[in-house]
Amino acid sequence: MTKADKVQFVINTLGELYPEIPIPLDHKDPYTLLIAVLLSAQCTDVRVNQITPLLFAKADNPYDMVKMTVEEIKEIIRPCGLSPMKSKGIYGLSKILIEKHNGKVPQSFEYLEELPAVGHKTASVVMSQAFDVPAFPVDTHIHRLMFRWNLSNGKSVNQTEKDAKRLFPRELWNDLHLQIIWYGREYSPARGWKLENDIITKTIGRKSVLNEYYKN
């Protein structure tokens, strides 16, 4: 199989498995998505989806959020981990959205990445899922699978993102990044991985990864 064949195999397989693609984080608009993505750092989506209704019942927009104290926000989001940093980020970005952007989430990577606690991955998720702008946010699942599939060298998430954008057609980025996440969770997890269930890795996987699996 050429690299182009492998890329097409990935696209076809994911398209068959996930013709309808669920969005992992519950939200109703760009602001609630931004907050949910920020909370998801080093926290499971399931946990985030349990916590955001409690937070959004009190504040689902920047104007209500800044009426709360950082301490109050921190208490609510504590189960998501990193709550001191995340609560300051949520309060700080809400203030900036009001002061600089009329309370709206900006539709720009540059402005999003200027916000406190918002990195490139968070900005990419918001741009792709809230505004339908092509982006390829790389999380741990995508990073792991691109390496397992021998489509990236796994040295850094930046490199993985560059490789994904180079290999996959731009018009598919927004669907593919979600499809790969779901595939990683269901068929190719980091722990408890069963290669017989993982058709993509079994078919196009990196030789060293397959050899290591069989050895163990």
Side-chain angles (χ1 to χ4, degrees), residues 74-145:
K74 188 167 90 177
E75 275 310 303
I76 297 171
I77 67 168
R78 193 183 295 281
C80 289
L82 306 177
S83 58
M85 183 200 80
K86 290 176 180 176
S87 55
K88 279 187 196 143
I90 290 169
Y91 184 88
L93 72 80
S94 299
K95 205 159 179 285
I96 291 170
L97 291 180
I98 293 166
E99 290 166 359
K100 280 192 171 178
H101 302 287
N102 300 317
K104 296 269 190 287
V105 176
Q107 297 189 34
S108 139
F109 283 98
E110 187 188 349
Y111 286 137
L112 282 168
E113 289 178 38
E114 282 175 0
L115 298 171
V118 176
H120 179 64
K121 183 196 153 214
T122 298
S124 296
V125 173
V126 172
M127 289 298 282
S128 70
Q129 291 176 21
F131 301 125
D132 208 26
V133 172
F136 215 110
V138 171
D139 76 339
T140 53
H141 298 290
I142 294 173
H143 191 51
R144 177 177 70 253
L145 267 52

